[in-house]
């Protein structure tokens, strides 16, 4: 009886020890710190081109490479998450930066294929956040280098003689107007969509001019400064 | 004991009766008819005059002053907690009425807020648009002023620079093209600062174009662009144009222009009125001279202008202004500067630069202004009845001032002979 009692006491002690050990080990298990990557509140896409970062409008000049840059808020988690760039359901790339080369913008088919419209970010716990966007690929306006007066041209007349300034500009994807600025001897004239004007008031001697064109999305083209010479009409004749 | 209790009850009853008598509970019941409604209103005006127009909205230039007025009904003297003005939510003023200017461009909401004694807030709002007039560059534009050789059959492109100082408002333009007779050929409104005219024009003519800028509140630019151009002549044709006038104040003058070729052969003669434009074309390439004169007014010296034509152009001469620098002339009938006293003195007055207005003649007798002086044709009549009847034994002095229509002045003195002697007046 006493032996049984002794055994029972022993079993009881063991059980108590196990319970105590279990409780102790339970107390020793420190849970992992909860992931706070799901605290990312937003993700935005910006375009970086010509050294400038623009959030709106998401417009890319097709003449140069550009980068789509994903920016998360708060930014401290930017390195702890994965980035997936999509076109529809097709994954185009990974990483916080997606590079768009000029080749991607060479044709509408390539644009359709290579320009993403959705960004998904995912943290280590599988939390996902997505944003959709639309990238405008803008073909900048082009100015023909053939203008009047030709570079170095000699023109005869007096201060009242009109001199024809003409140029040609085009824009593959611009259905609206192009805005031109004619600079003559450093004086700017906003000539709107005109592609030729006649101006007078030139003294005898050397004069310079240049033309700039801008489309409705702000992309520009210009020609280098050209010079022409005005000589008195009577002397010229 | 009973008496004492009943006494206390009676006393208590009296106190209750007195209390009830002093307290008319009906007075403390809410009566809708006793409600005093408060109304506030705010207006703006430009003058403290009673009949000045009062408005709830207005458009002004930055810096313009406005008078802000309030009305509180039943009276501004009712008890209140606070009243103040806000502009776009910020504190603006704390008076009932005041004068203030607003400089910030934009559309502003200005509210008068009145908090009454019970804490109820009443307010009224005024809308003020502060906008600057658009600015148009009147110096630099295309084509430059007095451009020649514009092809009359081709499209003419006009361009100018304009901007809105506030960078807030849309700008539009009124473009007008007129010929030299000031007939309007084009009058249109534009939303862009350029215009292409496809209108066929006449060769060797002067055209004037003007542009005025407006913002969306119809505020006009302080300056308008105004310039002219000349259309090209065909096949070596040239022209000469200009304006003729004189330094005379006369409303009507007849001018004559004679165009001579290089060997002084008259080619054309024009008869013009003051400030008439002339345009002589077509003329072949070569040397010419133009003699301008005022008909029947030889005090105006004829002017001869020589010029050369040779590039299918219209030569625009500067305004030809003929000048009369000769003052009017005056003399007595005898030609002497001394004349006998009579009831009417007569002088011959003439000016070869045009008629002399009577108002430009003043006569002084011994420094005394004489009235009723008349000028008929070239004779000046000076009535002298009173003085003529008096006996004068000394020479009297008469001064005549005349100014002709070209502001040439004549100031001449004459002397009146004595009509008696000292001994005749005073005896031996």
């Amino acid at each position: 009886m006493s032996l049984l009692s002794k055994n029972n006491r022993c079993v009881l002690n063991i059980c108590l020890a196990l319970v105590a050990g279990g409780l102790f080990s339970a107390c020793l298990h420190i849970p992992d710190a909860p992931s706070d990557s799901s605290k990312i509140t937003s993700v935005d896409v910006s375009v970086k081109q010509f050294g400038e970062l623009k959030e709106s409008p998401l417009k890319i000049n097709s003449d140069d490479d550009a980068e789509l840059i994903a920016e998360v808020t708060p930014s401290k988690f930017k390195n702890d998450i994965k980035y997936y760039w999509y076109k529809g359901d097709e994954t185009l790339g990974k990483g916080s930066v997606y590079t768009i080369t000029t080749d991607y913008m060479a044709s509408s088919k390539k644009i359709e294929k290579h320009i993403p419209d959705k960004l998904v970010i995912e943290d280590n716990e599988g939390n996902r956040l997505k944003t959709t966007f639309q990238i405008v690929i803008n073909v900048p306006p082009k100015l023909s280098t053939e203008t009047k007066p030709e570079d170095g041209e000699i023109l005869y007349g007096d201060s009242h003689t009109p001199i024809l300034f003409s140029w040609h500009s085009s824009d593959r994807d611009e259905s609206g107007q192009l805005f031109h600025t004619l600079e003559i001897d450093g004086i700017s004239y906003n000539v709107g969509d005109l592609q030729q004007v006649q101006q007078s008031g030139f003294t005898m001697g050397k004069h310079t001019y240049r033309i700039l064109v801008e489309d409705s999305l702000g992309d520009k083209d210009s020609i280098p400064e050209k010079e022409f010479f005005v000589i008195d009409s009577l002397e010229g004749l | 004991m009973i008496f004492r209790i009943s006494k206390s009850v009676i006393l208590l009853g009296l106190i209750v009766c007195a209390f009830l008598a002093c307290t008319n509970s009906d007075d403390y019941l809410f009566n809708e008819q006793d409600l005093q409604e408060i109304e506030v209103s705010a207006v703006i005006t430009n003058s403290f005059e009673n009949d000045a127009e009062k408005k709830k909205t207005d458009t002004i230039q930055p810096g313009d002053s406005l008078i802000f007025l309030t009305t509180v009904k039943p009276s501004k003297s009712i008890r209140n907690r606070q009243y103040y003005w806000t502009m776009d939510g910020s504190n603006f003023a704390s008076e009932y009425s005041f004068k203030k200017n607003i400089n910030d461009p934009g559309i502003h909401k200005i509210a008068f807020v009145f908090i009454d004694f019970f804490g109820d807030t009443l307010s009224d709002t005024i809308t003020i648009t502060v906008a600057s007039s658009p600015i148009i560059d009147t110096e630099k534009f295309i084509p430059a002023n007095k451009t020649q050789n514009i092809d009359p059959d081709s499209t003419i492109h006009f361009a100018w620079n304009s901007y809105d100082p506030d960078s807030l408002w849309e700008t539009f333009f009124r473009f007008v093209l007129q010929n030299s007779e000031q007939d309007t050929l084009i009058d249109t409104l534009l939303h862009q600062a350029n215009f292409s005219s496809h209108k066929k024009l006449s060769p060797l003519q002067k055209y004037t174009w003007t542009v005025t800028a407006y913002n969306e509140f119809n505020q006009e630019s302080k300056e308008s662009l105004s310039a002219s151009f000349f259309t090209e002549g065909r096949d070596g044709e040239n022209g000469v144009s200009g304006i003729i006038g004189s330094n005379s104040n006369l409303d009507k003058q007849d001018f004559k222009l004679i165009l001579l070729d290089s060997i002084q052969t008259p080619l054309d003669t024009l008869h013009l009125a003051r400030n008439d434009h002339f345009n002589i074309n077509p003329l072949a390439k070569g040397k010419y001279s133009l003699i301008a004169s005022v008909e029947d007014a030889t005090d105006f010296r004829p002017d001869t202008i020589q010029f050369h034509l040779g590039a299918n152009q219209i030569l625009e001469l500067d305004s030809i202004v003929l000048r009369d620098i000769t003052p009017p002339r005056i003399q007595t009938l005898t030609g002497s500067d001394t004349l006998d006293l009579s009831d009417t003195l007569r002088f011959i007055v003439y000016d070869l630069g045009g008629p002399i207005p009577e108002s430009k003649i003043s006569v002084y007798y011994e420094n005394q202004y004489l009235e009723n002086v008349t000028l008929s044709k070239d004779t000046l009549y000076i009535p002298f009845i009173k003085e003529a009847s008096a006996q004068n034994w000394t020479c009297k002095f008469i001064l005549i001032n005349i100014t002709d229509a070209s502001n040439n002045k004549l100031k001449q003195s004459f002397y009146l002979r004595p009509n008696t002697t000292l001994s005749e007046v005073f005896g031996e």
Side-chain angles (χ1 to χ4, degrees):
Chain A
M1 178 71 184
S2 63
L3 183 65
L4 189 64
S5 309
K6 196 175 180 180
N7 286 341
N8 283 347
R9 197 176 295 143
C10 185
V11 168
L12 185 64
N13 287 338
I14 290 167
C15 287
L16 286 171
L18 286 172
V19 168
L23 286 170
F24 181 70
S25 63
C27 292
L28 282 179
H29 180 72
I30 301 168
D32 294 336
S35 170
D36 54 1
S37 61
S38 60
K39 289 179 182 173
I40 293 175
T41 53
S42 68
V43 56
D44 294 303
V45 176
S46 303
V47 168
K48 188 175 184 184
Q49 193 178 33
F50 304 119
E52 285 183 29
L53 196 65
K54 287 183 182 174
E55 289 184 2
S56 179
L58 296 175
K59 187 262 304 176
I60 296 174
N61 184 324
S62 65
D63 274 0
D64 199 14
D65 292 352
E67 289 176 337
L68 298 184
I69 296 174
E71 292 175 329
V72 295
T73 306
S75 60
K76 65 180 179 179
F77 301 118
K78 65 181 180 184
N79 296 325
D80 303 331
I81 50 178
K82 294 169 185 163
Y83 301 82
Y84 301 99
W85 299 90
Y86 289 92
K87 173 71 178 181
D89 295 328
E90 188 181 346
T91 308
L92 298 183
K94 295 177 182 175
S96 62
V97 176
Y98 181 84
T99 302
I100 297 174
T101 64
T102 52
D103 183 52
Y104 289 178
M105 300 178 275
S107 69
S108 54
K109 281 190 177 178
K110 287 189 173 182
I111 289 171
E112 183 69 25
K113 191 176 176 184
H114 294 293
I115 307 301
D117 60 6
K118 186 169 67 178
L119 170 68
V120 176
I121 59 170
E122 184 179 323
D123 65 12
N124 294 332
E125 279 69 45
N127 298 310
R128 289 184 153 212
L129 201 59
K130 75 168 184 179
T131 182
T132 57
F133 50 87
Q134 188 174 8
I135 304 292
V136 176
I137 306 296
N138 184 47
V139 180
K142 293 285 177 202
L143 263 175
S144 168
T145 53
E146 290 182 12
T147 62
K148 285 182 181 175
E150 291 174 17
D151 196 21
E153 189 171 352
I154 295 172
L155 301 160
Y156 298 99
D158 57 26
S159 63
H160 295 307
T161 304
I163 290 175
L164 176 68
F165 294 84
S166 72
W167 57 91
H168 179 69
S169 62
S170 60
D171 194 323
R172 252 179 29 208
D173 59 359
E174 182 80 26
S175 55
Q177 292 179 341
L178 296 176
F179 301 93
H180 302 86
T181 302
L182 171 64
E183 273 184 20
I184 306 174
D185 294 330
I187 297 169
S188 293
Y189 300 92
N190 296 319
V191 292
D193 58 343
L194 302 180
Q195 300 216 0
Q196 68 170 54
V197 295
Q198 285 185 296
Q199 181 63 314
S200 68
F202 298 102
T203 55
M204 300 298 111
K206 178 183 157 186
H207 298 273
T208 59
Y209 78 100
R210 67 192 289 250
I211 300 154
L212 303 93
V213 62
E214 183 176 347
D215 67 13
S216 59
L217 292 171
D219 284 318
K220 300 171 185 173
D221 191 23
S222 63
I223 56 161
E225 190 173 88
K226 294 186 177 185
E227 59 185 37
F228 60 96
F229 300 87
V230 175
I231 294 176
D232 187 273
S233 54
L234 293 176
E235 288 177 16
L237 294 169
Chain B
M1 180 69 182
I2 293 169
F3 174 73
R4 193 174 293 171
I5 291 169
S6 59
K7 194 177 172 183
S8 299
V9 169
I10 290 166
L11 187 64
L12 184 63
L14 286 172
I15 291 168
V16 168
C17 286
F19 179 75
L20 289 174
C22 294
T23 310
N24 185 357
S25 59
D26 288 346
D27 290 347
Y28 294 95
L29 292 176
F30 174 74
N31 187 347
E32 200 175 70
Q33 290 179 339
D34 292 342
L35 184 67
Q36 196 173 42
E37 195 166 329
I38 301 171
E39 287 178 15
V40 298
S41 72
V43 290
I44 43 174
T45 183
N46 293 313
S47 166
F48 282 110
E49 300 291 328
N50 286 336
D51 56 351
E53 187 184 5
K54 295 173 178 61
K55 295 181 271 190
K56 302 290 280 184
T57 62
D58 201 0
T59 301
I60 61 168
Q61 301 262 348
D64 281 359
S65 290
L66 281 174
I67 296 165
F68 296 80
L69 302 174
T70 50
T71 307
V72 178
K73 289 181 180 176
S75 162
K76 283 178 183 167
S77 60
I78 61 170
R79 295 176 70 187
N80 65 75
R81 289 189 184 178
Q82 195 181 7
Y83 58 86
Y84 57 88
W85 292 79
T86 61
M87 183 170 86
D88 303 327
S90 301
N91 187 44
F92 185 60
S94 54
E95 299 93 5
Y96 275 123
S97 301
F98 59 95
K99 186 175 184 179
K100 198 163 184 173
N101 55 7
I102 304 171
N103 296 309
D104 295 338
I107 299 173
H108 300 292
K109 295 284 183 186
I110 297 178
F112 172 65
V113 181
F114 184 91
I115 302 172
D116 69 11
F117 179 70
F118 300 102
D120 293 332
T121 302
L122 300 100
S123 68
D124 195 18
T125 304
I126 293 164
T127 303
I128 296 174
T129 302
V130 182
S132 306
S133 300
I135 291 173
I136 192 165
D137 188 341
T138 56
E139 300 293 327
K140 303 295 178 189
F141 44 80
I142 293 173
N145 195 22
K146 298 189 177 179
T147 297
Q148 294 272 0
N149 294 85
I150 295 290
D151 183 353
D153 298 323
S154 68
T155 300
I156 305 169
H157 304 287
F158 301 88
W160 54 92
N161 293 332
S162 173
Y163 69 96
D164 166 38
D166 302 338
S167 302
L168 291 172
W169 321 113
E170 292 282 330
T171 304
F172 63 96
F173 307 94
R174 183 182 178 193
F175 177 94
V176 178
L177 177 68
Q178 292 181 314
N179 62 16
S180 56
E181 281 79 40
Q182 299 193 326
D183 300 323
T184 299
L185 308 178
I186 296 170
D187 187 348
T188 185
L189 290 176
L190 306 164
H191 284 280
Q192 74 282 358
N194 62 76
F195 178 68
S196 297
S197 167
H198 306 286
K199 200 169 187 68
K200 298 271 184 194
L201 303 178
S202 302
L204 289 175
Q205 291 293 323
K206 180 182 181 180
Y207 293 90
T208 303
W209 59 290
T210 56
V211 182
T212 307
Y214 298 85
N215 65 13
E216 55 194 275
F217 307 106
N218 236 18
Q219 289 177 306
E220 189 177 323
S221 55
K222 286 178 184 164
E223 288 185 289
S224 292
L225 180 167
S226 183
S228 60
F229 64 87
F230 300 90
T231 47
E232 190 173 35
R234 295 192 177 102
D235 304 324
E237 291 177 344
N238 298 274
V240 62
S241 73
I243 302 172
I244 193 160
S246 75
N247 69 336
S248 171
N249 297 324
L250 291 174
D251 293 331
K252 193 179 175 188
Q253 271 189 307
D254 297 320
F255 295 86
K256 187 162 85 173
L257 274 180
I258 302 171
L259 180 70
L260 307 168
D261 64 11
S262 57
I263 54 170
Q264 300 300 301
T265 306
L267 299 174
D268 201 356
T269 301
L270 299 179
H271 297 276
L272 304 163
R274 170 190 289 278
N275 294 330
D276 268 1
H277 288 258
F278 64 89
N279 185 358
I280 307 171
N281 69 74
L283 296 171
K285 182 179 173 181
K287 284 185 178 176
Y288 296 88
S289 54
L290 200 58
I291 301 172
S293 61
V294 181
E295 292 189 277
D296 304 323
T298 53
D299 278 0
F300 288 92
R301 284 187 174 182
D303 194 3
T304 302
I305 304 132
Q306 294 184 327
F307 55 89
H308 182 274
L309 297 176
N312 295 5
Q313 291 184 349
I314 286 188
L315 175 70
E316 191 183 44
L317 302 171
D318 289 335
S319 292
I320 302 170
V321 180
L322 299 173
R323 299 194 176 278
D324 166 15
I325 55 169
T326 309
R329 277 74 97 193
I330 185 168
Q331 64 181 59
T332 59
L333 298 177
T334 60
S336 167
D337 63 348
T338 305
L339 64 165
D340 293 328
L341 194 62
S342 66
D343 55 1
T344 303
L345 301 181
R346 291 178 178 80
F347 296 88
I348 296 170
V349 173
Y350 63 97
D351 185 83
L352 302 181
I356 297 170
E358 230 169 53
S359 60
K360 296 285 186 180
I361 301 173
S362 57
V363 180
Y364 296 87
Y365 171 68
E366 293 288 306
N367 295 325
Q368 182 189 348
Y369 180 72
L370 295 183
E371 294 179 343
N372 302 322
V373 172
T374 55
L375 180 68
S376 176
K377 294 187 179 173
D378 58 353
T379 306
L380 179 69
Y381 298 92
I382 303 174
F384 224 64
I385 299 165
K386 187 180 168 187
E387 283 73 12
S389 61
Q391 289 185 319
N392 289 316
W393 52 274
T394 56
C395 268
K396 296 292 181 183
F397 170 75
I398 190 161
L399 175 68
I400 300 175
N401 293 320
I402 304 175
T403 304
D404 71 9
S406 302
N407 282 324
N408 298 304
K409 292 181 170 57
L410 169 77
K411 186 175 184 180
Q412 190 147 338
S413 303
F414 295 93
Y415 303 94
L416 297 177
R417 286 195 188 91
N419 57 0
T420 183
T421 61
L422 179 64
S423 57
E424 282 175 353
V425 174
F426 296 104
E428 291 293 330

